[in-house]
Amino acid sequence: MRLFHSPGSCSIGIRVLLEHVQAPYELVTIATARGDHRKPEYLALNPKGKVPAFELDDGNLLTEFPVIAQWIARNFSAARLLPGDQLGELRALELLEYIVSSLHMRGAVFLLRPEKFSAEAPAQEDLRQHGREVLTEGFPMLSKRLGDSEFFFDGFTIVDAAAFYLLNWKDRVGMVLPAKLEAYHQRLLKLPAVQHALA
Ligand SMILES: N[C@@H](CCC(=O)N[C@@H](CS)C(=O)NCC(=O)O)C(=O)O
Protein backbone atom coordinates (compact mmCIF):
# COMPACT_ATOMS: atom_id res chain seq x y z
CA MET A 1 0.00 0.00 0.00
CA ARG A 2 1.16 3.51 -0.70
CA LEU A 3 0.14 6.72 1.05
CA PHE A 4 0.51 9.96 -0.88
CA HIS A 5 1.20 12.51 1.81
CA SER A 6 2.22 16.14 2.12
CA PRO A 7 4.00 17.36 5.27
CA GLY A 8 1.78 19.64 7.38
CA SER A 9 -1.40 18.56 5.58
CA CYS A 10 -4.48 16.57 6.60
CA SER A 11 -2.82 13.41 5.26
CA ILE A 12 -0.90 13.21 8.57
CA GLY A 13 -4.16 11.87 10.04
CA ILE A 14 -4.06 8.88 7.68
CA ARG A 15 -0.42 8.34 8.53
CA VAL A 16 -1.37 8.26 12.21
CA LEU A 17 -4.00 5.58 11.49
CA LEU A 18 -1.57 3.45 9.48
CA GLU A 19 1.02 3.73 12.25
CA HIS A 20 -1.62 2.91 14.86
CA VAL A 21 -2.60 -0.37 13.14
CA GLN A 22 1.04 -1.02 12.17
CA ALA A 23 0.11 -1.46 8.53
CA PRO A 24 2.92 -2.05 6.06
CA TYR A 25 2.89 0.93 3.71
CA GLU A 26 5.14 3.05 1.57
CA LEU A 27 5.10 6.79 2.12
CA VAL A 28 5.22 8.91 -1.03
CA THR A 29 5.81 12.61 -0.38
CA ILE A 30 3.76 14.92 -2.56
CA ALA A 31 4.80 18.32 -1.23
CA THR A 32 1.88 20.66 -1.93
CA ALA A 33 4.10 23.62 -0.95
CA ARG A 34 6.29 22.73 -3.98
CA GLY A 35 3.28 22.14 -6.21
CA ASP A 36 3.92 18.38 -6.54
CA HIS A 37 0.15 17.76 -6.37
CA ARG A 38 -0.38 19.67 -9.64
CA LYS A 39 2.36 17.84 -11.57
CA PRO A 40 1.21 15.64 -14.48
CA GLU A 41 2.64 12.45 -12.92
CA TYR A 42 0.51 12.89 -9.80
CA LEU A 43 -2.58 14.11 -11.67
CA ALA A 44 -2.38 10.99 -13.85
CA LEU A 45 -2.70 8.95 -10.69
CA ASN A 46 -5.10 11.22 -8.79
CA PRO A 47 -6.87 13.73 -11.06
CA LYS A 48 -8.24 15.52 -7.98
CA GLY A 49 -4.70 16.75 -7.27
CA LYS A 50 -5.15 16.41 -3.51
CA VAL A 51 -3.68 14.49 -0.63
CA PRO A 52 -4.28 12.12 1.02
CA ALA A 53 -4.54 9.44 -1.63
CA PHE A 54 -4.09 5.80 -0.74
CA GLU A 55 -3.17 3.08 -3.18
CA LEU A 56 -4.24 -0.43 -2.25
CA ASP A 57 -2.16 -3.50 -3.03
CA ASP A 58 -4.45 -4.31 -5.98
CA GLY A 59 -3.79 -0.88 -7.53
CA ASN A 60 -7.10 0.74 -6.55
CA LEU A 61 -6.67 4.34 -5.44
CA LEU A 62 -8.81 5.66 -2.59
CA THR A 63 -9.21 9.39 -1.98
CA GLU A 64 -11.10 11.51 0.60
CA PHE A 65 -10.01 11.31 4.22
CA PRO A 66 -13.22 9.72 5.59
CA VAL A 67 -13.15 6.99 2.92
CA ILE A 68 -9.50 6.09 3.46
CA ALA A 69 -10.00 6.17 7.23
CA GLN A 70 -12.99 3.81 6.96
CA TRP A 71 -11.05 1.44 4.72
CA ILE A 72 -8.34 1.23 7.40
CA ALA A 73 -10.95 0.76 10.14
CA ARG A 74 -12.65 -2.07 8.23
CA ASN A 75 -9.47 -3.83 7.18
CA PHE A 76 -7.79 -3.59 10.59
CA SER A 77 -10.91 -4.30 12.60
CA ALA A 78 -8.98 -5.64 15.60
CA ALA A 79 -7.82 -2.07 16.26
CA ARG A 80 -11.48 -1.02 16.86
CA LEU A 81 -11.10 2.28 15.05
CA LEU A 82 -14.90 2.64 14.95
CA PRO A 83 -17.44 1.98 17.71
CA GLY A 84 -18.89 -1.53 17.52
CA ASP A 85 -22.60 -0.64 17.66
CA GLN A 86 -24.52 0.90 14.76
CA LEU A 87 -25.50 4.15 16.46
CA GLY A 88 -21.99 4.58 17.85
CA GLU A 89 -20.52 4.06 14.38
CA LEU A 90 -22.91 6.57 12.85
CA ARG A 91 -22.13 9.10 15.59
CA ALA A 92 -18.41 8.65 14.85
CA LEU A 93 -18.96 9.14 11.10
CA GLU A 94 -21.13 12.18 11.81
CA LEU A 95 -18.36 13.78 13.85
CA LEU A 96 -15.73 12.80 11.29
CA GLU A 97 -17.75 14.47 8.53
CA TYR A 98 -18.16 17.59 10.63
CA ILE A 99 -14.41 17.83 11.22
CA VAL A 100 -13.48 17.22 7.58
CA SER A 101 -16.32 18.87 5.65
CA SER A 102 -17.05 21.81 7.92
CA LEU A 103 -14.13 22.61 10.21
CA HIS A 104 -11.41 21.75 7.69
CA MET A 105 -12.97 22.61 4.32
CA ARG A 106 -15.11 25.62 5.33
CA GLY A 107 -13.18 26.72 8.41
CA ALA A 108 -9.43 26.27 7.96
CA VAL A 109 -9.43 26.39 4.14
CA PHE A 110 -11.48 29.61 3.91
CA LEU A 111 -9.38 31.21 6.63
CA LEU A 112 -5.98 30.15 5.31
CA ARG A 113 -6.54 29.92 1.55
CA PRO A 114 -9.22 32.46 0.50
CA GLU A 115 -7.29 33.16 -2.71
CA LYS A 116 -8.35 29.73 -3.96
CA PHE A 117 -11.92 31.04 -4.24
CA SER A 118 -11.58 34.71 -5.20
CA ALA A 119 -8.92 37.08 -6.46
CA GLU A 120 -10.82 40.06 -4.96
CA ALA A 121 -9.46 41.38 -1.66
CA PRO A 122 -12.89 42.17 -0.07
CA ALA A 123 -14.23 38.72 -1.00
CA GLN A 124 -11.09 37.14 0.45
CA GLU A 125 -11.65 39.03 3.70
CA ASP A 126 -15.26 37.77 3.80
CA LEU A 127 -14.04 34.21 3.29
CA ARG A 128 -11.43 34.60 6.02
CA GLN A 129 -14.10 35.94 8.36
CA HIS A 130 -16.44 33.06 7.53
CA GLY A 131 -13.64 30.53 8.14
CA ARG A 132 -12.82 32.16 11.47
CA GLU A 133 -16.48 32.02 12.51
CA VAL A 134 -16.77 28.32 11.60
CA LEU A 135 -13.76 27.49 13.78
CA THR A 136 -14.74 29.87 16.58
CA GLU A 137 -18.06 28.05 16.80
CA GLY A 138 -16.64 24.60 16.13
CA PHE A 139 -13.76 24.34 18.60
CA PRO A 140 -15.94 24.93 21.70
CA MET A 141 -18.48 22.48 20.27
CA LEU A 142 -15.77 19.81 19.92
CA SER A 143 -14.48 20.61 23.40
CA LYS A 144 -17.96 20.21 24.90
CA ARG A 145 -18.51 16.97 22.97
CA LEU A 146 -15.20 15.60 24.29
CA GLY A 147 -15.78 16.69 27.89
CA ASP A 148 -13.35 14.99 30.24
CA SER A 149 -12.98 11.87 28.11
CA GLU A 150 -9.63 10.70 26.81
CA PHE A 151 -10.97 10.27 23.26
CA PHE A 152 -14.25 11.12 21.51
CA PHE A 153 -15.43 7.49 21.75
CA ASP A 154 -14.29 4.45 23.72
CA GLY A 155 -10.63 4.21 22.72
CA PHE A 156 -8.80 5.83 19.80
CA THR A 157 -10.90 6.00 16.61
CA ILE A 158 -10.72 7.50 13.13
CA VAL A 159 -12.38 10.61 14.61
CA ASP A 160 -9.32 11.24 16.78
CA ALA A 161 -7.04 10.98 13.74
CA ALA A 162 -9.07 13.69 11.98
CA ALA A 163 -9.26 15.83 15.11
CA PHE A 164 -5.49 15.50 15.42
CA TYR A 165 -4.69 16.96 12.01
CA LEU A 166 -7.17 19.79 12.51
CA LEU A 167 -5.93 20.75 15.99
CA ASN A 168 -2.38 20.57 14.71
CA TRP A 169 -3.21 23.67 12.63
CA LYS A 170 -4.15 25.73 15.70
CA ASP A 171 -1.13 28.02 15.32
CA ARG A 172 -1.65 28.38 11.58
CA VAL A 173 -5.26 29.46 12.10
CA GLY A 174 -4.12 31.63 15.01
CA MET A 175 -6.56 30.26 17.56
CA VAL A 176 -6.26 29.35 21.21
CA LEU A 177 -8.11 26.09 21.83
CA PRO A 178 -10.57 25.67 24.70
CA ALA A 179 -8.70 24.13 27.67
CA LYS A 180 -10.12 20.60 27.33
CA LEU A 181 -9.41 20.50 23.62
CA GLU A 182 -5.89 21.80 24.17
CA ALA A 183 -5.24 19.10 26.80
CA TYR A 184 -6.63 16.50 24.36
CA HIS A 185 -4.30 17.73 21.59
CA GLN A 186 -1.34 17.45 23.98
CA ARG A 187 -2.44 13.88 24.86
CA LEU A 188 -2.68 12.96 21.18
CA LEU A 189 0.80 14.34 20.53
CA LYS A 190 2.19 11.82 23.04
CA LEU A 191 0.63 8.74 21.38
CA PRO A 192 3.26 6.43 19.81
CA ALA A 193 1.34 6.38 16.49
CA VAL A 194 1.38 10.18 16.37
CA GLN A 195 5.05 10.34 17.29
CA HIS A 196 5.91 7.83 14.54
CA ALA A 197 3.77 9.71 12.02
CA LEU A 198 5.48 12.99 12.86
CA ALA A 199 8.98 11.51 12.82
N1 LIG B 1 -11.98 16.45 1.05
C1 LIG B 1 -10.60 16.03 0.89
C2 LIG B 1 -9.71 17.21 1.20
C3 LIG B 1 -8.31 16.97 0.80
C4 LIG B 1 -7.55 18.28 0.80
O1 LIG B 1 -8.09 19.37 0.64
N2 LIG B 1 -6.22 18.14 0.95
C5 LIG B 1 -5.37 19.29 0.93
C6 LIG B 1 -4.25 19.16 1.94
S1 LIG B 1 -4.88 19.27 3.60
C7 LIG B 1 -4.74 19.43 -0.44
O2 LIG B 1 -4.45 18.45 -1.08
N3 LIG B 1 -4.56 20.67 -0.88
C8 LIG B 1 -3.96 20.97 -2.12
C9 LIG B 1 -4.83 21.88 -2.94
O3 LIG B 1 -6.04 21.98 -2.65
O4 LIG B 1 -4.33 22.47 -3.87
C10 LIG B 1 -10.33 14.87 1.82
O5 LIG B 1 -11.15 14.61 2.70
O6 LIG B 1 -9.33 14.17 1.66
Side-chain angles (χ1 to χ4, degrees):
M1 296 179 291
R2 292 199 295 169
L3 173 65
F4 297 87
H5 161 74
S6 178
S9 81
C10 55
S11 54
I12 188 75
I14 298 297
R15 232 187 133 180
V16 167
L17 290 172
L18 292 171
E19 293 292 336
H20 184 81
V21 301
Q22 299 186 340
Y25 71 102
E26 184 190 332
L27 189 69
V28 184
T29 300
I30 299 293
T32 53
R34 283 200 300 248
D36 289 355
H37 60 307
R38 305 304 310 171
K39 290 189 177 149
E41 311 86 90
Y42 186 61
L43 289 175
L45 194 84
N46 177 13
K48 288 179 180 169
K50 304 262 185 202
V51 292
F54 188 56
E55 191 181 65
L56 305 181
D57 283 340
D58 65 5
N60 267 298
L61 189 83
L62 296 180
T63 61
E64 305 298 331
F65 190 104
V67 170
I68 302 170
Q70 282 179 74
W71 186 92
I72 297 169
R74 287 183 200 184
N75 285 276
F76 293 87
S77 54
R80 297 176 177 274
L81 286 169
L82 274 169
D85 62 302
Q86 190 185 63
L87 187 61
E89 179 174 331
L90 289 171
R91 287 287 178 224
L93 296 178
E94 181 181 50
L95 194 51
L96 178 66
E97 279 301 327
Y98 175 62
I99 291 170
V100 174
S101 305
S102 296
L103 299 182
H104 170 183
M105 301 308 291
R106 304 180 82 82
V109 173
F110 282 2
L111 177 54
L112 297 174
R113 302 295 305 278
E115 73 281 0
K116 284 170 79 99
F117 306 98
S118 173
E120 307 293 327
Q124 289 183 4
E125 194 39 50
D126 284 350
L127 286 161
R128 258 188 225 105
Q129 182 56 26
H130 180 72
R132 205 173 287 117
E133 281 167 16
V134 169
L135 293 176
T136 302
E137 189 179 278
F139 284 147
M141 220 183 318
L142 280 187
S143 199
K144 191 165 171 223
R145 171 74 180 74
L146 179 71
D148 293 314
S149 307
E150 187 178 6
F151 300 113
F152 280 100
F153 296 87
D154 285 342
F156 181 83
T157 65
I158 58 178
V159 176
D160 301 294
F164 172 70
Y165 84 69
L166 179 79
L167 300 184
N168 235 20
W169 293 340
K170 66 187 175 192
D171 293 337
R172 273 160 75 183
V173 298
M175 286 196 187
V176 175
L177 300 177
K180 287 182 178 172
L181 210 53
E182 174 60 31
Y184 164 73
H185 184 222
Q186 295 306 321
R187 278 198 303 280
L188 293 180
L189 280 167
K190 292 197 182 96
L191 296 177
V194 170
Q195 302 251 319
H196 290 145
L198 290 171

